[in-house]
Amino acid sequence: MNLKEKMEKVALFAKEKRDRAIIKNPDYSARLIYRWQHTLRVAQYGKILAEKEGAEIEIVLIACLLHDIAKLSDRSRDVEHGRIGAKMVRPFLKEIGYSDEDAENICYAIATHVDGKSDFEHPHTLEAKIVSDADKIDRFSNYRTTVALGKFANDDYESLILAARKRLVRFQKARREIRIQTENGRKAFDEQISLQVVYMERLIADYEISVLPKI
Ligand SMILES: [Fe+2]
Ligand SMILES: [Fe+2]
């Protein structure tokens, strides 16, 4: 099986889990659909970072596509979801032909993508660093900002601007505190945050000039 076929199998595996979770809990449908779209973007970012950093692209792509499997199947949404996800996919990875070594490498990246911690022994790989970085880049996407602010679209202007100010603080904190582990991941993450910061600052500035000009 080539990589394209493996990716298709992995996508099918993930989407079946998602669809079962949606049937069980239709109220979570939007959240679970978002989770798969996020997963696809993480794979896109992961591919670019793997190429730039000289990592094993196949390991990164498969780990990216499975990194949130525990969330996607509504098994876990907390800090443990990486480690739970790694346990969920190990037998499946063997089934589609991965060696023990490759399966462990993929599982390690999934297990550690949230907080860098694993519940099994494994060297801290470049591939794991990239999966974690790719995930963090998409946490601060335009989409997330739009959805977060969209909740205030029908409220008064002040509520929207208050939300924008809070989000601006959050972006600045993320830039300082979120652990990014590769050089190219850092560049892409900073660029992502900078775009959001400029957008928030402009949104707030528009509010502040919604007054008569000073003479
Ligand atoms: Fe995650
Ligand atoms: Fe994620």
Side-chain angles (χ1 to χ4, degrees):
M1 214 187 303
N2 62 30
L3 176 55
K4 188 171 177 274
E5 288 163 344
K6 279 182 185 156
M7 283 207 304
E8 280 163 2
K9 281 226 174 224
V10 168
L12 203 67
F13 173 84
K15 285 194 284 182
E16 272 174 11
K17 293 241 180 301
R18 176 201 63 182
D19 292 346
R20 249 178 274 149
I22 290 175
I23 291 166
K24 218 170 124 196
N25 262 315
D27 291 352
Y28 298 165
S29 162
R31 198 179 74 200
L32 294 166
I33 287 168
Y34 164 79
R35 188 55 48 193
W36 177 243
Q37 290 161 342
H38 155 75
T39 296
L40 292 170
R41 291 191 296 272
V42 171
Q44 298 278 0
Y45 290 131
K47 181 170 180 273
I48 294 168
L49 293 182
E51 282 163 358
K52 288 186 176 168
E53 295 282 333
E56 270 195 64
I57 292 178
E58 179 158 353
I59 300 291
V60 169
L61 279 173
I62 301 297
C64 284
L65 289 171
L66 293 169
H67 83 284
D68 272 345
I69 195 75
K71 279 190 174 180
L72 202 58
S73 53
D74 204 35
R75 280 275 299 274
S76 167
R77 280 197 282 156
D78 64 17
V79 71
E80 286 300 312
H81 74 266
R83 288 175 281 279
I84 291 169
K87 284 190 189 77
M88 286 171 65
V89 303
R90 200 175 263 114
F92 167 71
L93 291 171
K94 307 272 178 71
E95 244 175 71
I96 60 170
Y98 282 108
S99 65
D100 285 354
E101 194 188 338
D102 284 350
E104 287 312 290
N105 201 353
I106 294 166
C107 285
Y108 179 77
I110 297 168
T112 55
H113 84 269
V114 185
D115 57 5
K117 292 177 194 151
S118 160
D119 51 2
F120 60 94
E121 282 294 314
H122 198 278
H124 194 53
T125 58
L126 176 59
E127 289 74 21
K129 291 177 188 176
I130 289 173
V131 174
S132 174
D133 287 358
D135 183 43
K136 285 169 176 79
I137 293 164
D138 195 61
R139 269 178 62 192
F140 295 92
S141 65
N142 288 319
Y143 178 83
R144 287 280 279 257
T145 299
T146 305
V147 169
L149 294 183
K151 289 176 195 154
F152 299 92
N154 295 321
D155 293 356
D156 55 281
Y157 202 174
E158 286 75 14
S159 301
L160 175 71
I161 295 305
L162 185 65
R165 287 190 203 283
K166 282 186 187 162
R167 211 151 172 89
L168 188 57
V169 171
R170 201 176 146 225
F171 290 142
Q172 285 154 345
K173 195 167 175 261
R175 182 147 56 189
R176 284 193 312 271
E177 294 178 7
I178 289 192
R179 184 178 175 228
I180 302 295
Q181 302 176 66
T182 66
E183 208 184 307
N184 287 291
R186 172 49 69 186
K187 270 189 219 156
F189 183 79
D190 284 350
E191 193 186 329
Q192 180 84 305
I193 294 281
S194 296
L195 285 169
Q196 306 304 313
V197 166
V198 167
Y199 178 37
M200 286 308 104
E201 285 175 346
R202 189 59 203 253
L203 194 65
I204 296 164
D206 282 350
Y207 170 77
E208 284 168 351
I209 61 161
S210 304
V211 292
L212 280 174
K214 273 187 191 146
I215 301 294

